[in-house]
Amino acid sequence: MNSTVGDRRRARRTNRPPVLAVLMAGIAVAFFALPFFGLLWRVPWSEAWSLLTDPESLKALRLSVYCSLWATALAVVFGTPLAWVLARYGFPGRRIVRALCLLSLVLPPVVGGVALFAAFGRRGLLGDPLFDWFGVRLPFSTAGVVLAQTFVGMPFFVLTVEAALRGLDRRAEDAARTLGASPWYAFRRVTLPAIKPALFAGAVLAWARAFGEFGATITFAGNFPGRTRTLPLAVYLALESNPGQALVLSVFMIAISFAVIVGLRDRWLGGSSDGDPT
Amino acid sequence: MSLHARVVAELSTFRLDVDVDIEDGETVAVLGPNGAGKSTLVKAIAGLRPLDEGFVRIDSIVFDDPDTGVFVAPEQRNIGVVFQDHRLFPQLDALDNVAFGLRARGMSRTEARRVARAWLDRMHLSDHAAQKLDTLSGGQAQRVALARALASEPRLLLLDEPLAALDAATRAEVRRDLRTHLTGTTASALLITHDPVDAYALADRVIVIEDGRVTQSGDLSEVTTHPQSRYVADLVGTNLVPGTIDAGVLRTSDGVSIAVPADSPDGPAFASIRPGSVALHRSEPEGSARNVWLVEVIELDVRADRIRVRLDGPIGLVAELTPPGHEALALRPGDRIWASVKASEVGISEDFSR
């Protein structure tokens, strides 16, 4: 029949994207790829290894790994119950609480740093009590870096896990309860295994964000070698004193982020995982 | 163990208000159309949904009573539940699913698995112990779910439409397993169903719920004879005759033969005869009906729109007459009349429960 032939022809045509779309998409790909190739092109490859392994770089790398892993741990420990409460319990103002917790996703990191300062800084909301009671000064300390990274990284974890919990069938938990499982036991043996992929994905996203954190860190924790100077800060600093080193460190960080994104597969590509040095 | 409960729950479209009493060792079937509140009843008794009013008591222990603020968490009640959609844990194999409740109550892994294995054996599932949920058939999964609920030796077993999601043949098999366990133990059970065959095969007593209220309760035969509503009349008020089919004839244990549709599979089955398809005659009928019995009128239940006649003969039967038909026959208890049923009007449910 005529209509069948027409349908088939139309179907075949829709399988191939329009030329214009291909063109625009090509430009977009180039836009993302070019800076990366530019980096690769500019990197002084002969000195790359020595620049990457010089004591200052290694110090920054060590600090970055240390702080970002702590930030990820905090995000998981506090983010899981938070995601649980947000996903499972209706309470007045839940939407506002949720928005507050996810605010740093859309906040310029510098603003986050300023806000952290206002809360935990020397003259901040909790600055004096923290010092008087615990002898803790968060700003310009390694703990401050962890705090700043957690602040920007945790929403990624909470968002991912909350979505998984919402999508989860509660009926399995109900069944577990009738079998004598306490809420905690049911959570551990029924809920956690079911959301394991989301926990993992959320933790990796939070880690990647923490690892690349710049704005909040430099605002709140400053830029002290060995104490608060993480890799992104080292890159920024090296840009003036030793551009070759900045390039090498940048490529190194891109390689790590890229590995993380590829490792996460396409379906977890929802959120950005790279820090933007603003 | 006996259950006494009055379950009141405010649902979005109606109010559930139902009294349920189950005596020691008894199985009570709750029948009702979809959306009557049957599953809410199960949730409330299991403790998955707090009562709005009423109480749930097992023996002398109060589990839920909004008036006094008593609420016992589901995990403290030891009430086993088998759900329609089995709700097995996908990350565990069949054995660990059955062992779950024992582990949750603190039994060691080795011991729990040993007990679980014994339960799988009893369900003829020993070969499937290491299988994950997605490799089990619907009937196997439901039997694992039954084993899982029974393994913790619950005080009370709640069966929420346990057979509804299964195909006819599997349903009959699982029904047989259920029967074995409900009659073999002294455990009490509440069976939610909308299939009168389940009630007939498994329950001592039925409660009919419509729109959140009990419209009728009692023995199945009592309910069949005196249906109080159209729903009961249509669904529960069906004559069910157990027997064995051989070449288009169902023979009961008393030796009565009933002609059934010729394509009915051989084997144990229930013949279901709708009261409306039982024709009554003052004199022996001639014609195509192959099932003709001489019966005695025991009782008449006269309603405005229909008249139910309980008959005693080779098999007990309930017939339903229209008011004009009733007028024409002018039946009285004690009358001896003829009852006929066409073979093509006899419904068949395969029954592997015997």
Side-chain angles (χ1 to χ4, degrees), chain B residues 6-17:
Chain B
R6 174 168 174 245
V7 173
V8 180
E10 301 291 347
L11 302 174
S12 53
T13 50
F14 64 93
R15 175 184 161 97
L16 179 72
D17 186 347

Side-chain angles (χ1 to χ4, degrees), chain A:
Chain A
M1 257 199 291
N2 262 345
S3 65
T4 329
V5 173
D7 287 347
R8 201 174 296 153
R9 208 172 279 157
R10 201 175 307 134
R12 194 180 298 150
R13 234 187 290 135
T14 52
N15 277 341
R16 197 185 291 167
V19 178
L20 186 64
V22 175
L23 206 73
M24 306 287 272
I27 292 172
V29 170
F31 174 67
F32 285 118
L34 274 178
F36 179 61
F37 288 119
L39 265 180
L40 289 179
W41 181 65
R42 287 280 314 275
V43 165
W45 289 105
S46 53
E47 317 165 57
W49 183 251
S50 65
L51 286 173
L52 193 62
T53 53
D54 101 7
E56 283 303 307
S57 300
L58 284 181
K59 222 190 273 175
L61 172 64
R62 213 174 297 130
L63 188 70
S64 264
V65 170
Y66 175 83
C67 290
S68 62
L69 287 181
W70 263 108
T72 307
L74 289 174
V76 170
V77 168
F78 290 96
T80 308
L82 173 59
W84 172 265
V85 170
L86 288 177
R88 282 299 157 80
Y89 299 98
F91 53 88
R94 191 179 66 100
R95 288 172 62 181
I96 292 168
V97 170
R98 190 169 179 276
L100 265 176
C101 294
L102 303 180
L103 195 61
S104 72
L105 275 178
V106 292
L107 217 57
V110 171
V111 176
V114 172
L116 285 174
F117 221 85
F120 302 105
R122 186 183 286 271
R123 274 176 294 163
L125 209 55
L126 293 176
D128 279 336
L130 276 176
F131 186 71
D132 294 345
W133 299 342
F134 305 106
V136 175
R137 282 271 183 237
L138 287 173
F140 311 115
S141 71
T142 304
V145 176
V146 173
L147 199 74
Q149 292 185 347
T150 310
F151 186 74
V152 296
M154 189 153 104
F156 286 88
F157 180 80
V158 173
L159 211 60
T160 314
V161 174
E162 193 204 344
L165 282 171
R166 271 185 199 284
L168 193 69
D169 197 345
R170 285 190 72 167
R171 293 176 302 177
E173 283 167 42
D174 279 353
R177 298 289 300 279
T178 67
L179 290 164
S182 64
W184 172 235
Y185 190 86
F187 180 75
R188 230 162 21 97
R189 291 216 44 211
V190 177
T191 314
L192 273 187
I195 59 165
K196 207 159 62 180
L199 287 172
F200 181 74
V204 171
L205 285 175
W207 172 81
R209 183 68 184 85
F211 189 68
E213 216 302 308
F214 176 85
T217 309
I218 202 164
T219 314
F220 182 58
N223 187 8
F224 301 101
R227 186 143 55 100
T228 70
R229 184 181 298 163
T230 56
L231 269 183
L233 272 65
V235 170
Y236 183 70
L237 201 74
L239 209 50
E240 289 186 6
S241 58
N242 187 354
Q245 187 168 35
L247 291 167
V248 169
L249 291 179
S250 296
V251 167
F252 180 64
M253 291 196 70
I254 287 177
I256 290 179
S257 300
F258 194 70
V260 165
I261 290 177
V262 170
L264 271 177
R265 308 247 168 87
D266 293 3
R267 68 192 190 114
W268 296 115
L269 255 170
S272 101
S273 55
D274 241 327
D276 49 343
T278 33

Side-chain angles (χ1 to χ4, degrees), chain B residues 229-253:
Chain B
S229 72
R230 193 66 245 173
Y231 168 77
V232 181
D234 288 348
L235 188 69
V236 192
T238 298
N239 299 289
L240 288 170
V241 186
T244 304
I245 298 179
D246 182 22
V249 177
L250 178 132
R251 235 169 288 276
T252 71
S253 54

